Structures are given as C-alpha cells and as structure tokens.
Amino acid sequence: MSTVDKQLEDVKATIDDEVPRHISVSDVTYEGPELVIYTRDPKEFAADGDLVRRLASKLRKRITVRPDPDVLTPPTRAEQDIRDLIPEEAGVTDLDFYEDTGEVVIQAQKPGVVIGRHGATLRDITREVGWTPEVVRTPPIESSTVDNVRNFLKQEREDRRDILERVGRQIHRDPMSNDEYVRITTLGCCREVGRAAFILSTPDTRILVDCGAKPGAESETPYLQIPEAFGAGANGIDAVVLTHAHLDHSALVPLLYEYGYDGPIYCTEPTRDLMGLLTLDYLDVAAKEGRNPPYGSEMVREAIKHTIPLEYGDVTDIAPDIKLTLHNAGHILGSSICHFHVGDGLYNVAFSGDIHYDDTRLFDGAVNDFPRVETLVLESTYGGKNDYQTDQDDSERKLKQIVQNAYDRDGKVLIPAFAVGRSQELMLVLEEAMREGDIPEMPIYLDGMIWEATAIHTTYPEYLRDSLRDRIFDADDNPFLADQFQHIDGGDDEREAVADGDSCIVLSTSGMVTGGPIMSWLEHLAPDPDSTITFVGYQASGTLGRRIQRGRNEIPIGGNGNGRSDSVTLDMNVETVDGFSGHADRQGLENFVRTMNPRPEKILCVHGDESATQDLSSSLYHDMNLRTFAPQNLETFRFR
C-alpha cells in the first residue's frame, strides 16, 4: 500500500470518528488540493451546517462533499426543486447536472443570491435533492472566451478528474528528504522587462512561477529552453504558479506541455480565462507576421485543462512542503501576489508579480499584509530614481485635454493599449468624462481583443472595486455598456472608414506597438498632423512604442511582397500620459515595502531595466536597511 493510500485510510478513520453514525462515508480521495468525501447521505451532511467546517479544521484540508450517484434525485425533478429554492432575483440562466460527481452547476446573473447567507441556500439545495451545487456567473456581456473555457472544461470533466486525482496524490505524498533549504533560480526578467520565470525549489519540490515571453524580442531564445534551467526537464516541475495573464508572464506556459510537463497550474479563475485569450491571440499574431508559433492551440487547451483556480486568501497545499496563498496585486483582473509558506514554518517567500499599490478605478491597491515573509521578489518596472508618475487626477486631466485639443482640430486620438487592464481603466475615465460634459461626446472605437477582455471583466466583478461591481450589477448603469463604445470587428476597410470620418477616440492593441491592429491604425492615421497618438502604458526597450516615444518618425507597416518593409512618416502628435500604468511607480514600490507587514529580510529586485532594478535595490538598502539584490538571469539564491 502506498503512503498516500495509507494516509487516506487514516483520514477516513478520523472522518468516521467525527461524523454522526447515521451519516455514511463511502469513499475518501484527493482531487488536487481538496479532500473529497463521498456519502450516501448528502442531505444529512448538508443539514449539519458546521460539520464540513469542523472536519476541515480537524484535518486542515479543503473539503468537498459529494453524493454517491445512486442516491440523487433524478435531474428532471431536481431542476424544478432547485429553481423553487432559489429566489427569482438570482436570474438563473442554466443548470447542468453531472451524475459522475453528483454536482449541479448553476449559472446565474447574481451568484451571491444563489449561495445565500453563509451558504444557506446551497445547503438547502443539497438537503432537498442531494446534488452538490456549484455556482458560476452569467456574464452581463457575452464572452466567447468564457463560454469556450466553460464548455471545454465540461467536455473534459473525466480527463480533468483523472488529472486532479493524480495531482492530489502528488501533493499529499510524503517528503523524501530530511534536508531543509529554499532556493530561487532566476530564469528571466532580471535586469530586463519580460520573460518572467523563476524556480522556487526545496529538497522535495520545484515550483515554476510565471513563464512569459519578452515584448519586442520574439526571436530571442527563452531561458526555459536552456538545459540548465530545468535540469531534468519540464516534467521535473511539480507545479506552475501564474501571477497574472499578461504575455510577459504567461505566453510560454502552454509550451511547457509541448516539452512534456503534465502538472497543474495555479492561478485565479479570471487569470485562467485571460491566459487562454491572450495566448491564442499571441499564436495568431505570430502566424500573421510570418513567425513560427512556439506551440499549437491544442497546448493552450492542455494548459486550461490543467489549471486549478484559487481565490484570494485561500491557503492551499500545492506540494508536501509548500502552501500557496494568492493576494490581490491591483495590476490587472485576477492578478496576484503569490505567497509561499515552505515547510512547517521553515521559510516564507512572496513573489509580487506586477503590482499597483494605490487604488485605481478598477481595483483596490495591492495587499501587503502577510503572516510572514522572509524574502520578497519585487517587480521594479518603474523602480528608477526618476520614475515618478503623475497622480491619477492629473493624468485624467491631461488625457481629457489631449482629447479636447484633437477634437478642436477635427482630429482623432489613437491610444495603443493593453487589452487587459489599461483599456478598461481608460473606458471608465472616458465614459465618465463624456457623461459629465468634461469632453465632447464622440465614438470610442475598441479594436483587437479589448471588447472581449472587457466582457471577461464583467464576468468576474468580485475582483473589481465595490463601487464598480455595483454598477456592473445594475444593467442600466453598467459603464462598459455606454453608447459611445463601438467594437471594431477587425476589418481594415472599417478602420479606414473610421480614419476618414469625424473626430473619435481609438483604443487598440498592441499596447507596445509590437504588432496587431495598432499597425493598421498607424498606416491610416500616422500622416495626419491633426491627430494624436497617446501612450498610456509602459513601453519596453526595443519596442516600436519606445522608439516612437523617443522621436522616431519612420514607421514600418509591413511587407510589400518583395521582401522589403513599407514605412509611413509619422506626422501625428505624440503624447505620453504616465499615470495610467498598471505598475506602481518608484514611490509606490517604496511605500509597498515601507508599509509591508511584516517587512521582509531580503528583497530581490526584478522585472525592470538594469538601471531601474539597481536604483531600487540601492534605495531600499540605504533607506530601510534591508538586504537587497538586483539579480541577473540564471542566478540561484539559497535561503536557509
């Protein structure tokens, strides 16, 4: 008998001791980080509202209770009973029954109403029909990404269950080594922005944190292809943890499955969906530009199938000696600071991912309150000594003035924007400015993936600020449904018609002008001196966006069929409004560390140009008396 099977026997014995005698427990198994209890008496389990909580506290596990299939109310009768139990204002749109697991997935416009106070309605459902309810939100704006992900996971439930059982056994195996150490190996994004990737390792476990590409350097070999990076190869990794979905953190996650990785990915639910959206677009753009995509779309599906979504604040076992907790990073939808508790109180490491310390229109600022943190791996995108952004009010005033000036000249405002995060922030600013009469009403065209990314935001309003969440719940006040917003379907004829038309605002991907629809807009608008291109996000070194910011006026716009690139002269006005970045500026980064509770002993400054990482590292050392480092790629740090 394996150690995991013996462990499950002991767990079942503990459960049998705790559970009242009239409640049967037919099986106990691990599925991913959760302990799943099967019972022939799901109604009695549900009747005791504290029983699962008591078991979770006793066993120190996340617990799911599932009924044996042969004790379930038939779906046709159960559906009517469930609908009778759920208040009408919940807006139930669909129910799916899965007899293999005894689960019913309830899709509703207001999941909180379905759940009820402290889960009371969910318990009522199980008491009435035996089925275990799971609730998902009906998106207020239809999202093909969300629909595709949910349908795909529905089709792959049997495979996914096998994956979860295998992962569960891996997590709960006994440690093999008596050694104690913690190491961090830097695989990318050190003294550079992009290709974020780190290995967190112990004697028993290797965790990969992020796996991104480098903007503007698609031909550069990612470090994960270098043999020393992974040692035994991708299948030597126990788990992948994804801080957020931007391509400089997620683009090469699917490539791991091409290399033989078959393990889990931990992230928030919106990060999973956005990763699917952005990586598929990454493949599409590569193909259109004549580059060989690094993997096929089937690898994106593999990554989604292996993802185990976590909520902020949930402490989750991801290995025998590592617990993971995700916290809000304030950067984009679902972005996380990843806190790792290693061993039995041995060591704690937090990876910031990308953070925004102050509140924005979309998100609350990054969390920096933890039980313990000895080492912090901190982004330094704006860590340079002069990287101070204007505050949000000043930035909004400047943007509104740029729009007014272009309107007065009968010109247009072209904004290269990241589809996820900055676009939605700008949509809120512009919608309010027009509603309050600060700028004239005009169309706001959304090109690339911006509309689809916006739809995903409305699917997960619990990750947004409370005031915005309330507006999204009100169908008559949802700011993202304002009349000004018009979705460009991607045809170049449509773009040309807009460019030849009246004053307007265009938000278009890509945010660093590295390809995608922004290149078409430049072809149409670059010669127009009455129009303005406005940068609102970080422009990485080597990108066309950075070169335009620095005065370049000859813009390559693609091939002409004979091997040479055409170009267009940029006569547009060029503006930068830096307060809309999703990253904390120098002051925000320092404040994040200064107010961090507890303050870390060591800080690795990463994800910034060489001067930015070194400046921030030096400042934190001198001002706060912390041990700081500005590591290079392929360095290893040992702690303990």
Side-chain angles (χ1 to χ4, degrees):
M1 178 183 293
S2 73
T3 55
V4 175
D5 290 325
K6 177 65 170 68
Q7 186 185 130
L8 283 169
E9 276 198 358
D10 294 341
V11 167
K12 188 173 184 302
T14 301
I15 293 171
D16 286 338
D17 288 342
E18 292 290 321
V19 171
R21 294 194 177 278
H22 66 280
I23 300 177
S24 67
V25 174
S26 52
D27 193 18
V28 176
T29 187
Y30 289 123
E31 289 188 13
E34 294 192 338
L35 180 69
V36 180
I37 300 172
Y38 286 89
T39 176
R40 295 184 56 81
D41 305 297
K43 298 178 183 181
E44 286 77 4
F45 240 108
D48 185 344
D50 288 329
L51 180 54
V52 172
R53 196 177 301 116
R54 292 198 306 270
L55 288 173
S57 175
K58 177 88 173 179
L59 297 167
R60 299 177 67 188
K61 304 286 183 191
R62 289 167 55 185
I63 292 176
T64 295
V65 177
R66 292 199 186 132
D68 284 338
D70 56 352
V71 300
L72 298 169
T73 302
T76 49
R77 198 170 88 231
E79 177 165 357
Q80 187 56 54
D81 291 342
I82 290 169
R83 289 185 181 274
D84 289 343
L85 285 167
I86 297 172
E88 193 171 333
E89 62 265 28
V92 173
T93 55
D94 197 16
L95 285 87
D96 281 314
F97 292 87
Y98 299 97
E99 296 192 35
D100 58 330
T101 60
E103 293 173 297
V104 54
V105 177
I106 304 167
Q107 190 169 130
Q109 294 165 350
K110 297 180 179 178
V113 178
V114 179
I115 293 167
R117 185 173 176 81
H118 303 306
T121 308
L122 297 185
R123 289 195 296 275
D124 288 345
I125 289 169
T126 301
R127 272 200 300 266
E128 186 68 26
V129 299
W131 295 82
T132 301
E134 178 187 336
V135 190
V136 297
R137 186 180 306 281
T138 305
I141 300 174
E142 188 174 349
S143 164
S144 59
T145 300
V146 172
D147 285 348
N148 290 339
V149 168
R150 288 178 179 176
N151 289 332
F152 172 68
L153 292 175
K154 186 188 303 184
Q155 295 163 11
E156 299 292 328
R157 281 180 74 91
E158 194 170 327
D159 260 11
R160 182 164 165 77
R161 193 171 170 194
D162 290 343
I163 291 168
L164 289 174
E165 288 187 0
R166 176 165 45 78
V167 170
R169 296 180 72 85
Q170 182 76 359
I171 290 170
H172 296 96
R173 71 191 190 274
D174 285 343
M176 302 289 290
S177 173
N178 293 322
D179 290 344
E180 288 188 335
Y181 65 75
V182 179
R183 291 175 181 158
I184 295 175
T185 300
T186 58
L187 301 187
C189 87
C190 292
R191 306 193 186 189
E192 63 178 359
V193 174
R195 59 174 175 185
F198 303 90
I199 296 283
L200 173 67
S201 57
T202 70
D204 283 294
T205 305
R206 305 183 80 211
I207 308 294
L208 176 65
V209 182
D210 286 343
C211 196
K214 186 170 181 179
E218 284 79 7
S219 61
E220 196 160 339
T221 301
Y223 279 121
L224 63 91
Q225 291 181 358
I226 296 174
E228 309 94 87
F230 279 170
N235 57 5
I237 300 296
D238 292 281
V240 175
V241 175
L242 190 55
T243 61
H244 67 286
H246 274 156
L247 289 174
D248 58 333
H249 293 255
S250 77
L252 300 181
V253 168
L255 186 60
L256 297 169
Y257 293 90
E258 189 87 57
Y259 286 175
Y261 179 65
D262 196 29
I265 301 166
Y266 296 95
C267 61
T268 62
E269 200 168 9
T271 294
R272 177 199 64 194
D273 293 4
L274 290 169
M275 174 186 68
L277 173 69
L278 295 177
T279 52
L280 287 173
D281 183 73
Y282 173 73
L283 300 181
D284 187 50
V285 170
K288 286 178 179 174
E289 294 179 352
R291 292 183 279 114
N292 286 328
Y295 50 83
S297 58
E298 69 278 3
M299 293 299 107
V300 177
R301 289 191 288 274
E302 280 298 306
I304 289 170
K305 185 165 69 175
H306 284 76
T307 298
I308 299 176
L310 305 178
E311 295 183 6
Y312 291 150
D314 283 353
V315 180
T316 304
D317 291 306
I318 64 169
D321 55 348
I322 296 181
K323 296 180 188 295
L324 167 67
T325 312
L326 303 182
H327 300 275
N328 170 44
H331 174 62
I332 65 168
L333 183 71
S335 61
S336 304
I337 296 170
C338 301
H339 179 275
F340 296 91
H341 179 82
V342 181
D344 188 12
L346 176 68
Y347 207 76
N348 292 261
V349 179
F351 287 80
S352 75
D354 291 346
I355 58 171
H356 197 288
Y357 182 56
D358 298 316
D359 295 345
T360 66
R361 286 176 177 266
L362 280 172
F363 308 113
D364 294 328
V367 168
N368 65 348
D369 194 3
F370 308 97
R372 273 178 56 190
V373 176
E374 280 77 42
T375 290
L376 171 66
V377 182
L378 177 66
E379 73 125 320
S380 315
T381 312
Y382 287 110
K385 59 186 176 183
N386 297 317
D387 287 342
Y388 293 95
Q389 300 177 31
T390 54
D391 69 28
Q392 189 159 328
D393 289 342
D394 287 343
S395 299
E396 292 183 10
R397 276 193 292 272
K398 182 175 180 181
L399 177 64
K400 287 185 276 193
Q401 191 60 57
I402 290 169
V403 171
Q404 184 68 58
N405 291 344
Y407 181 85
D408 293 342
R409 297 191 302 264
D410 294 326
K412 296 153 184 78
V413 178
L414 174 62
I415 304 177
F418 302 111
V420 178
R422 290 322 92 201
S423 292
Q424 290 72 38
E425 186 88 15
L426 291 165
M427 289 170 72
L428 295 174
V429 171
L430 295 169
E431 182 270 338
E432 180 183 275
M434 291 185 189
R435 176 165 40 85
E436 296 188 350
D438 294 341
I439 57 175
E441 288 202 10
M442 66 188 84
I444 303 169
Y445 294 99
L446 310 174
D447 203 352
M449 297 177 297
I450 293 172
W451 182 247
E452 178 61 23
T454 302
I456 296 173
H457 279 70
T458 67
T459 305
Y460 299 104
E462 61 271 26
Y463 287 85
L464 306 174
R465 293 192 73 179
D466 290 351
S467 56
L468 177 57
R469 182 187 320 164
D470 293 342
R471 292 189 68 192
I472 289 172
F473 287 154
D474 183 349
D476 296 326
D477 193 34
N478 188 335
F480 297 119
L481 292 174
D483 293 339
Q484 294 93 327
F485 297 123
Q486 300 186 29
H487 179 212
I488 295 284
D489 289 329
D492 204 51
D493 290 344
E494 190 176 0
R495 296 189 187 107
E496 188 172 8
V498 170
D500 291 340
D502 296 331
S503 291
C504 64
I505 300 167
V506 177
L507 304 183
S508 174
T509 55
S510 72
M512 295 189 190
V513 199
T514 53
I518 190 68
M519 306 309 296
S520 177
W521 287 109
L522 281 172
E523 183 176 359
H524 296 306
L525 291 175
D528 181 9
D530 295 325
S531 292
T532 302
I533 182 169
T534 303
F535 293 99
V536 294
Y538 182 79
Q539 304 299 305
S541 177
T543 62
L544 182 55
R546 172 73 73 92
R547 292 196 289 271
I548 292 173
Q549 275 186 323
R550 293 188 170 180
R552 177 168 178 169
N553 61 6
E554 286 297 314
I555 308 301
I557 56 170
N560 58 13
N562 60 10
R564 295 196 303 272
S565 290
D566 290 331
S567 64
V568 63
T569 299
L570 184 75
D571 289 326
M572 302 176 78
N573 300 285
V574 178
E575 297 277 3
T576 296
V577 184
D578 60 12
F580 290 111
S581 173
H583 297 267
D585 67 358
R586 170 64 174 266
Q587 184 173 343
L589 292 167
E590 290 177 333
N591 288 343
F592 178 86
V593 175
R594 185 176 292 110
T595 62
M596 192 169 164
N597 180 36
R599 194 177 288 183
E601 300 166 2
K602 301 181 182 69
I603 298 181
L604 274 58
C605 296
V606 303
H607 198 285
D609 293 341
E610 186 163 359
S611 61
T613 53
Q614 291 180 332
D615 283 351
L616 183 61
S617 175
S618 175
S619 173
L620 295 175
Y621 168 72
H622 287 292
D623 296 347
M624 300 185 203
N625 196 29
L626 299 169
R627 291 190 63 191
T628 61
F629 307 86
Q632 301 185 60
N633 291 325
L634 296 182
E635 282 196 78
T636 295
F637 294 80
R638 174 166 175 156
F639 309 100
R640 297 294 302 229

